[in-house]
Amino acid sequence: MTIAPVRPATYPAPVRAAVPGVRCAGVPAPLVDGRRVEYANLDHGASAPCLDAVADAVDEFLPYYASVHRGAGYFSQISTKVYEGARASLRAFTGARERDAVVFTRNTTDALNLLAESVPRGTSVVLFDTEHHAALLPWRGRVTHVPTPRDVHSALSEVDTALAESPEGPRLLVVCGASNVTGELWPVAELAAIARRHGARTVLDAAQLAPHRPVDIRALDVDYVVLSGHKCYAPYGAGALIGRADWLNAAQPYLAGGGATKLVNEQLGVSWAKVPERHEAGSPNVVGVHALAVAAKTLGRSAEAVAEHENALLDRLRAGLATIPGVRELSLFDGARERVGVVSFTLDGIESGLLAAVLSAEHGIGVRDGKFCAHIATGRLLAESGAEAETAVRVSIGLGTRAEHIERLLAALRAIVLYGPSWDYAIVDGKYAPSPDPRPLPAFLEE
Ligand code: PLP
């Protein structure tokens, strides 16, 4: 078999535009044949590499690192200032209203679970059943699942109906900004407007949107936004819930403990603090929060360059995939919907898990395979695609992606279609791995 090459690998100028640098740039990865190549990190959607600006800011701060809210010392004051100052950066990054609370969490999952614990008793929740598990599962028992229709127009009318039919009382619509399976953008503003008409609030899961596109609470007219630092190039363990304070202030603290209290008496009677402290019990993750704030400022400043860089790479990736026989790209809506740099696909004749292992072991390319914590969405799209596959491969691009990574991926896929894997593979702990696997670990992992 021969495969015609795609159009020449030239990219429009924007892909060469200056975008913020990341720490994994140029770092080599070993291959099973003994060579080393620059690691092509095509898994930004799972966790993005650390921004240089974030790592530098953390290094600069660490000598001053001390307790937050708890110490009288100079360094404690600095740490508290850094922590509290980060709220303004998140506020600016998300276009929050003045009265919105900024509560720091571990990640998006944590933020959504906090909100789920805080909604008033009897709140009915409406969401599409194709959501990521972090958005799908915290509301079990009080949720209406709307099956995702094939087009955006029907999605709007399905939500309209579901909200109209939901019981009287508080209502919440959970909306995804960008699908973690297909990268497609959801019509957030339109959905939030429908919710508003029904007196419902909207929470935007911006886990996949915020690293790639500006998020504006006011323009979208949503009530809450949740996001993760590690997907926004700030891998130090912080995330955020930003939005209306009233439900959060009326709820029991998410965690009981120090920092969330104003007063505790001998009978263990507690007077709880208001948000944000109410839901931030325990010593806060000031390093993570500082990292998140620096990432927010950096991404906020570079939004245009980020989108241009990613769009050029994404166009090339999708055009290239379309020329490879047996590739089936998954799409929620029609293939033309605007999307961030996430593409999931199957390749006929090779299991996705094996394909991902080959890309890593023989080509130094990191992708993800599976159902991406969105089992309903991925399962449905796989069935609709006609693939005889139970899982897919996901390529997700971002600031660490270079044109050469995309070219390497496309060349690798063509070689796999023509010749298959060049190494042996076995299932180890439920996943495909090269057998044997001679790739050395970095020195810091050696005994
Ligand atoms: N929502 C979406 C759309 C996601 O893609 C993810 C993670 O992949 C999450 C929520 C959960 O994010 P985290 O694992 O950072 O809590």
Side-chain angles (χ1 to χ4, degrees):
M1 190 198 321
T2 53
I3 304 174
V6 277
R7 61 185 159 80
T10 51
Y11 290 81
V15 81
R16 292 185 288 271
V19 293
V22 293
R23 268 299 193 265
C24 71
V27 177
L31 307 183
V32 279
D33 63 9
R35 286 180 303 136
R36 283 178 177 266
V37 291
E38 180 186 294
Y39 185 61
N41 183 342
L42 295 178
D43 196 13
H44 285 64
S47 282
C50 190
L51 274 172
D52 287 333
V54 166
D56 291 346
V58 167
D59 280 351
E60 196 182 10
F61 167 59
L62 280 178
Y64 297 92
Y65 167 76
S67 66
V68 171
H69 296 152
R70 288 157 171 79
Y74 177 67
F75 284 11
S76 288
Q77 286 170 2
I78 288 179
S79 294
T80 302
K81 208 171 166 50
V82 162
Y83 186 77
E84 287 305 326
R87 298 194 205 277
S89 304
L90 267 292
R91 208 179 274 289
F93 183 54
T94 55
R97 295 155 293 234
E98 210 166 301
R99 60 187 183 284
D100 283 333
V102 176
V103 182
F104 289 118
T105 63
R106 289 183 298 156
N107 47 37
T108 302
T109 305
D110 198 29
L112 284 165
N113 276 273
L114 161 58
L115 186 61
E117 292 293 313
S118 304
V119 298
R121 193 184 293 274
T123 298
S124 28
V125 178
V126 170
L127 47 74
F128 289 104
D129 63 0
T130 41
E131 293 295 353
H132 187 280
H133 295 168
L136 188 71
L137 299 179
W139 333 88
R140 274 180 307 161
R142 51 191 156 153
V143 64
T144 304
H145 291 150
V146 182
T148 300
R150 290 299 296 171
D151 65 85
V152 168
H153 180 73
S154 325
L156 300 180
S157 67
E158 299 275 347
V159 157
D160 199 14
T161 308
L163 284 167
E165 289 172 357
S166 64
E168 281 302 311
R171 293 164 178 169
L172 181 70
L173 176 66
V174 183
V175 177
C176 179
S179 163
N180 70 309
V181 182
T182 69
E184 286 160 291
L185 301 192
W186 283 81
V188 177
E190 293 88 333
L191 287 164
I194 293 170
R196 194 71 70 219
R197 278 210 306 278
H198 291 282
R201 295 188 181 191
T202 301
V203 54
L204 168 62
D205 171 357
Q208 294 293 344
L209 187 64
H212 307 287
R213 295 283 187 283
V215 172
D216 190 332
I217 291 182
R218 271 175 293 198
L220 295 169
D221 197 20
V222 296
D223 298 277
Y224 308 94
V225 163
V226 289
L227 51 84
S228 294
H230 71 102
K231 292 188 196 290
C232 291
Y233 307 90
Y236 292 83
L241 163 64
I242 301 139
R244 295 193 188 280
D246 53 351
W247 287 358
L248 298 169
N249 269 328
Q252 282 298 304
Y254 187 43
L255 294 173
T261 58
K262 282 198 296 203
L263 204 69
V264 180
N265 65 24
E266 293 213 350
Q267 291 71 44
L268 298 187
V270 184
S271 165
W272 297 106
K274 296 282 187 201
V275 286
E277 291 82 5
R278 187 181 191 83
H279 296 299
E280 291 181 355
S283 296
N285 174 8
V286 57
V287 174
V289 160
H290 182 44
L292 176 56
V294 173
K297 280 193 257 184
T298 310
L299 290 175
R301 272 197 302 268
S302 331
E304 221 172 292
V306 169
E308 280 185 4
H309 169 78
E310 293 180 359
N311 283 340
L313 294 170
L314 180 63
D315 287 351
R316 169 67 181 167
L317 169 65
R318 292 188 71 209
L321 287 176
T323 66
I324 295 175
V327 165
R328 295 167 197 258
E329 189 190 316
L330 306 186
S331 279
L332 280 167
F333 305 117
D334 63 45
R337 180 91 189 142
E338 190 186 346
R339 59 179 75 202
V340 297
V342 176
V343 179
S344 294
F345 62 91
T346 57
L347 181 58
D348 290 353
I350 181 165
E351 281 179 59
S352 297
L354 176 56
L355 178 56
V358 175
L359 289 173
S360 168
E362 298 178 33
H363 303 278
I365 299 170
V367 297
R368 183 164 169 193
D369 65 284
K371 291 189 180 171
F372 321 121
C373 297
H375 289 184
I376 300 178
T378 313
R380 190 174 298 162
L381 295 181
L382 283 170
E384 284 170 7
S385 75
E388 282 172 19
E390 288 181 8
T391 57
V393 165
R394 182 179 75 182
V395 173
S396 49
I397 63 184
L399 296 178
T401 312
R402 297 192 303 106
E404 185 273 320
H405 301 168
I406 303 292
E407 295 313 313
R408 202 192 316 164
L409 171 73
L410 295 172
L413 291 172
R414 278 188 217 114
I416 292 165
V417 168
L418 289 173
Y419 312 114
S422 317
W423 200 261
D424 288 333
Y425 293 83
I427 306 244
V428 180
D429 296 333
K431 283 194 84 73
Y432 277 101
S435 175
D437 188 350
R439 291 173 295 175
L441 294 172
F444 67 83
L445 273 179
E446 280 165 9
E447 296 275 301

